[in-house]
Amino acid sequence: MFKHSQLDSVKAWLAHPAHAAMPLHARIQRAIRHLILDGALGAGKPLPASRALARSLGVSRDTVESAYAQLHAEGFIERRVGSGSFVAGMTEFTQGWRRPRHDSLRQDSAPPLSQRGAIMFHSGGLHGVLRPRPFLQGIPETRTFPLPLWERLQRQVLKEVGTQALLHSDPQGAEPLRQAIADYVNLERGARATADRVLVLTSSQQAMMLCATMLLDPGERIFIEDPVYSGARKAFDAAGLDCVPIGVDRHGIMVEQIINDPQRAKAVSLTPSHQFPTGATLTLDRRLALIDWAARQQAWIIEDDYDSEFHYAGKPTACVQGLDPHDRTLYIGTFTKSLFPGLRIGYAVLPPPLVQPMTVARSLFDGHTASIAQLTLARFMEGGHFGAHVRAMRGIYAERLEVLAGLVRKYLAGFVEPRVPVGGLQMPCMLTGTVSEQAAMDAARRAGVELTGLSALYAAGTGPAGFLMGFAAYTPTEMEDAVKKLARAFRAVEQRSPP
């Protein structure tokens, strides 16, 4: 029979809220298994008769019998006709496992990661957000997305493709979507793309990881913008690359620093249409100089065109890839910001020699692609709905940017100065008062407002103090409420600061 402590342990398993979703027999089986693995029930020890245990636990005998049957099937107990149930004879290995070990991992101990794993872990990642708080940047408005239209197109796909959509799909991506992407970037971005040069991915972040691991070896140099998009920097750091920061001015990345650098680099990563986070656009002369440098050095240009759809002043410039006659440019785009984050579809337009290697690598990392969402998106684009949605959101975002700039000037004057961009989904603000960047970030978080600090986006973490304010996903009323909270929070910090 069980001791009182053992019976109490089983009862605790039955009553624990975390186990509420488990059937009763599974909870009893898990509880007894833990007693065996922890050494509380040694090899050969008898278990209570099923009828007696059922009475003690207040359950049916069949429930206990089901638990015993599973324990027997897993080899934890032996059942002898006429004698009852006993803890199985444990092997020497299992007994060694049961004993407490001084070198066992604790929850608060440092995990034994590789150098690359440690870099990836400490660089942080995205956190699940059911409804983003103002002013989380990079998030589009999703409440106005035409869901009924999307659902209708998806039903059409399932009706016409049938069960074929449930099977493994093309590792390069569904051909109709690749063709739709090629047509779109050729028309809207001035690219030179064909369907066979498009690789469909889950995100631009996956594209960065592929570029980092497939084009460069650990220790090799890559030029990056300074300040830089943190996602790209994390991908390159995780791959063990030597990231060389190149300054950015109002004309974009300073290409002359790249050309004059005496040491060779294998690649350069940039956001030329709308530099993150400054908003600068790379001028044509610098684009052409960069293309010439890449051709002479046999280097790669990694062009992240992350939110080029949203340009509010004048017409957006053509992408670098469309200007490059030497096929040294990899063009990366995403639908995460133009449509909705849950879609999980991005893409890369690749030089022909890289298509097959990149496709194989993507398959190694991620298996095959998800066809239903891709085929639905292809229909959404072919029917002109994507263009219509982008045009509608461009108008909404331009209005929200204007509203946010006005709110910052009205309520945060003396604390920050807004730098109104010509495009994108976020607005940089430079701190002008006595409140430090860290103090501003901490105060905002306590007030329920999310800000992205600017100085950490610079190579040495010593850039100008300020923050980014995302505006696309928030209504004017939501933004006004949040800006007022910031104003109160900043005033409280200022009042506590010593003179």
Side-chain angles (χ1 to χ4, degrees), residues 359-420:
T359 302
V360 170
R362 192 215 63 77
S363 302
L364 181 64
F365 291 151
D366 202 25
H368 66 94
T369 58
S371 60
I372 297 176
Q374 291 186 30
L375 294 172
T376 304
L377 175 56
R379 300 242 171 157
F380 193 75
M381 298 180 76
E382 293 162 357
H385 309 298
F386 177 71
H389 179 72
V390 166
R391 288 191 294 273
M393 300 316 294
R394 190 182 294 140
I396 291 173
Y397 295 165
E399 178 186 341
R400 290 182 178 182
L401 173 59
E402 184 179 358
V403 168
L404 178 60
L407 290 170
V408 169
R409 293 188 180 106
K410 179 178 180 180
Y411 294 105
L412 299 180
F415 294 108
V416 298
E417 176 187 328
R419 301 284 174 84
V420 183

Side-chain angles (χ1 to χ4, degrees), residues 57 79 252 291 322 342 368:
L57 298 177
R79 309 201 75 179
I291 290 169
H368 66 94

Side-chain angles (χ1 to χ4, degrees), residues 258-278:
I258 295 174
I259 296 173
N260 296 330
D261 193 300
Q263 298 186 62
R264 187 173 184 273
K266 289 286 291 290
V268 57
S269 171
L270 67 160
T271 51
S273 297
H274 176 239
Q275 201 276 332
F276 185 93
T278 67

Side-chain angles (χ1 to χ4, degrees), residues 258-393:
I258 295 174
I259 296 173
N260 296 330
D261 193 300
Q263 298 186 62
R264 187 173 184 273
K266 289 286 291 290
V268 57
S269 171
L270 67 160
T271 51
S273 297
H274 176 239
Q275 201 276 332
F276 185 93
T278 67
T281 299
L282 189 63
T283 57
L284 178 60
D285 60 329
R286 291 189 180 184
R287 292 173 186 238
L288 297 176
L290 197 61
I291 290 169
D292 180 67
W293 167 83
R296 286 187 289 102
Q297 297 291 326
Q298 290 296 284
W300 300 106
I301 300 172
I302 302 170
E303 179 180 13
D304 183 6
D305 211 23
Y306 66 101
D307 62 2
S308 62
E309 292 89 358
F310 304 115
H311 202 85
Y312 312 124
K315 296 199 70 174
T317 55
C319 64
V320 173
Q321 191 269 356
L323 300 172
D324 181 4
H326 312 293
D327 280 334
R328 304 301 304 179
T329 303
L330 296 83
Y331 177 91
I332 296 170
T334 179
F335 295 99
T336 294
K337 295 178 174 61
S338 54
L339 292 178
F340 53 93
L343 183 57
R344 305 298 297 137
I345 295 179
Y347 59 90
V349 180
L350 303 171
L354 292 182
V355 173
Q356 187 174 4
M358 288 283 201
T359 302
V360 170
R362 192 215 63 77
S363 302
L364 181 64
F365 291 151
D366 202 25
H368 66 94
T369 58
S371 60
I372 297 176
Q374 291 186 30
L375 294 172
T376 304
L377 175 56
R379 300 242 171 157
F380 193 75
M381 298 180 76
E382 293 162 357
H385 309 298
F386 177 71
H389 179 72
V390 166
R391 288 191 294 273
M393 300 316 294

